[in-house]
Amino acid sequence: MNKKEALLMADSTANIDFESVIKLNKSVEYFQSGQFKKDYEAEKWLDKHMD
């Protein structure tokens, strides 16, 4: 592996990690916003009334 290949590999790994961090932040915001609880309650209500 030459220097250019190593840099490309490191760059693509960094991009993947960066995307994961963005997704994680969105998930944390979703949980903290209270929207998760609303969605969860709605889903429970639906499950209960679909039977």
Side-chain angles (χ1 to χ4, degrees):
M1 179 187 303
N2 62 28
K3 187 177 177 182
K4 188 176 182 182
E5 286 172 335
L7 284 171
L8 282 170
M9 189 180 286
D11 187 46
S12 66
T13 304
N15 286 342
I16 291 165
D17 290 344
F18 189 64
E19 289 297 317
S20 299
V21 169
I22 290 171
K23 285 179 186 165
L24 185 62
N25 283 342
K26 284 187 192 307
S27 296
V28 169
E29 285 170 15
Y30 174 63
F31 279 102
Q32 290 176 341
S33 71
Q35 188 61 44
F36 171 75
K37 188 165 173 29
K38 288 180 207 155
D39 291 348
Y40 177 73
E41 294 296 330
E43 204 166 299
K44 263 192 355 190
W45 187 88
L46 278 173
D47 286 347
K48 191 172 152 187
H49 290 80
M50 293 296 264
D51 289 341

